[in-house]
Amino acid sequence: MTARALVLAAVSMGTSTLRAPLRARDTELMSGGLRALGTHVSTRDDNLWTVRSRALSGPAAIDVGLAGTVMRFLPAIAALAEGPVTFDGDPVARRRPMAPLITALRGLGVDIESANGGLPLTVNGAGRVGGGEVTIDASASSQLVSGLLLAAGAFERGIVVRHDGPKVPSAPHLRMTTQMLRLAGAAVDDSTPNVWTVEPGRLSGRAWNIEPDLSGAAPFLAAALVTGGAVTVMDWPIGTTQPGDQLRELLTGMGGEATLTPEGLTVRGTGRIHGLTADLSEVGELTPVLAALAALADSPSRLTGIGHIRAHETDRLAALARELGRLGVQVHELPDGLEIHPRPLTGSVFETYDDHRMAHAAAVIGLTVPGVDLTDVACTSKTLPQFPALWSAMVQGTAGGSD
């Protein structure tokens, strides 16, 4: 939500504010990328960021880090700038899928230089984008569609995006994009499956109230199942487009008890963790934590619909199979998922692969298996720099709202 609000603010008239934004590496990189294009972004107040739109221009250099939102949301914005805008990031970012977005933007008349269909790339912005209709295979990431839609109101003819390919993963994130576009004043039609239309029209600056990052809450709530305790995440929204809200159902299915009140979401462990059979195509980012719980369950699990997470920060299916196997779990890697057969676990080094979600998985298992050593917990700064401190406080029973 923070990433989308920043991008929408940059192409809206006037001033926008983001209350309770997520300050993390990904959102700092998004702010930096927009500043490089000329947008005024003030993040000095942790609780209230201010964005003032200005004429976009290059030359500019944008560091995407390992953030899929930055690498896929900002090229279309860069096309609205005058001048060259270069994009590059962490070495692993060069392997993340970008080619369908590049092809779509070229189909709209945008001049993009890319030697290999991904990063590094240069957008030679002309100060305008004509817009029109494009067909894209977004089966690798819903961000490929969101990256086109978020900028489309500023295109001269808007845009019609048609998806042609296997199922688009993480559909709730696309619903978040269209909902936020409408709140900013865009005319959006997503009534036809796999077709999204955004009419041309300047958006209006507004105040955004950013919800807590529900996916980031996954390891904390999972801790309740592992320990037989209780954890409360404050201010959990009653209604939301965030896919992380499915944690309530998923954790209940694995043996937890979830209670949602106006104050927040409380998950309690019951002393047993059950295996899970589920299609996680809409919530792929939850896979590492759910796989960690599955490794501690009293029955096997089968997690499917998540072939696309092979192209996330790391190949998460291969990484989970490797690291859980190192602890003693029997894991069968499927083309689109994992079969997990719990066995007695022993401590070992758990490689995180610079992937925040892998670190979350290791932390969950380490609550009950002695000697689990994460190679790098600092990678959690990608989306939650406070993770180590919050985790320690929760385990010690000193974190507000947790037991």
Side-chain angles (χ1 to χ4, degrees), residues 9 12-18 180 182-185 204-209:
S12 296
M13 293 184 293
T15 300
S16 295
T17 56
L18 282 67
M180 293 181 70
R182 291 187 180 103
L183 290 173
S204 300
R206 55 161 290 146
W208 295 100
N209 293 314

Side-chain angles (χ1 to χ4, degrees), residues 194-254:
N194 294 322
V195 180
W196 300 267
T197 301
V198 179
E199 299 293 337
R202 195 67 189 272
L203 307 182
S204 300
R206 55 161 290 146
W208 295 100
N209 293 314
I210 306 299
E211 299 172 359
D213 178 9
L214 306 189
S215 296
F220 298 93
L221 296 175
L225 273 67
V226 175
T227 63
V231 173
T232 298
V233 175
M234 305 301 291
D235 301 320
W236 194 279
I238 299 298
T240 180
T241 56
Q242 289 193 66
D245 192 44
Q246 294 186 32
L247 279 166
R248 293 188 287 150
E249 179 181 352
L250 291 165
L251 295 180
T252 298
M254 298 191 82

Side-chain angles (χ1 to χ4, degrees), residues 4 73 136 138-139 141-150 161 163 167-182 188 190 193-196 241-243 282:
R4 286 163 174 76
F73 291 2
I136 185 172
S139 58
S141 174
S142 64
Q143 292 172 349
L144 299 168
V145 175
S146 289
L148 294 168
L149 301 182
L150 289 167
V161 180
H163 164 65
K167 181 180 177 181
V168 179
S170 303
H173 283 129
L174 271 174
R175 291 194 287 272
M176 181 189 298
T177 294
T178 55
Q179 180 189 72
M180 293 181 70
L181 276 163
R182 291 187 180 103
V188 183
D190 58 353
N194 294 322
V195 180
W196 300 267
T241 56
Q242 289 193 66
E282 291 195 346

Side-chain angles (χ1 to χ4, degrees), residues 29 31 48 66 76 93-94 137 154 190 218 221 232 250 255 284 318 324 347:
L29 288 168
S31 299
L48 189 69
L66 197 49
R94 295 186 174 190
D137 180 355
D190 58 353
L221 296 175
T232 298
L250 291 165
L324 292 177

Side-chain angles (χ1 to χ4, degrees), residues 10 92 97 104 118 165 253 285 289 370:
V92 175
E285 67 269 30
V289 165

Side-chain angles (χ1 to χ4, degrees), residues 219-220 223 227 231 360 363-364 367 374 377 380 384-400 402-403:
F220 298 93
T227 63
V231 173
H360 294 166
V364 168
L367 288 170
L374 286 69
V377 74
T380 56
L384 187 60
Q386 309 94 323
F387 179 81
L390 288 171
W391 193 258
S392 296
M394 178 191 67
V395 171
Q396 295 164 12
T398 59
S402 66
D403 300 321

Side-chain angles (χ1 to χ4, degrees), residues 98-134:
M98 284 284 291
L101 177 63
I102 293 171
T103 300
L105 287 171
R106 284 174 173 162
L108 296 173
V110 179
D111 180 4
I112 301 182
E113 301 172 27
S114 173
N116 57 3
L119 298 174
L121 62 84
T122 299
V123 177
N124 295 304
R128 54 173 293 276
V129 175
E133 297 193 16
V134 292

Side-chain angles (χ1 to χ4, degrees), residues 28-62:
E28 293 281 13
L29 288 168
M30 183 68 83
S31 299
L34 291 171
R35 288 192 194 100
L37 292 171
T39 303
H40 172 85
V41 183
S42 173
T43 60
R44 286 178 294 182
D45 185 337
D46 280 342
N47 195 53
L48 189 69
W49 292 0
T50 303
V51 183
R52 296 185 181 91
S53 60
R54 294 175 177 172
L56 303 173
S57 65
I62 294 179

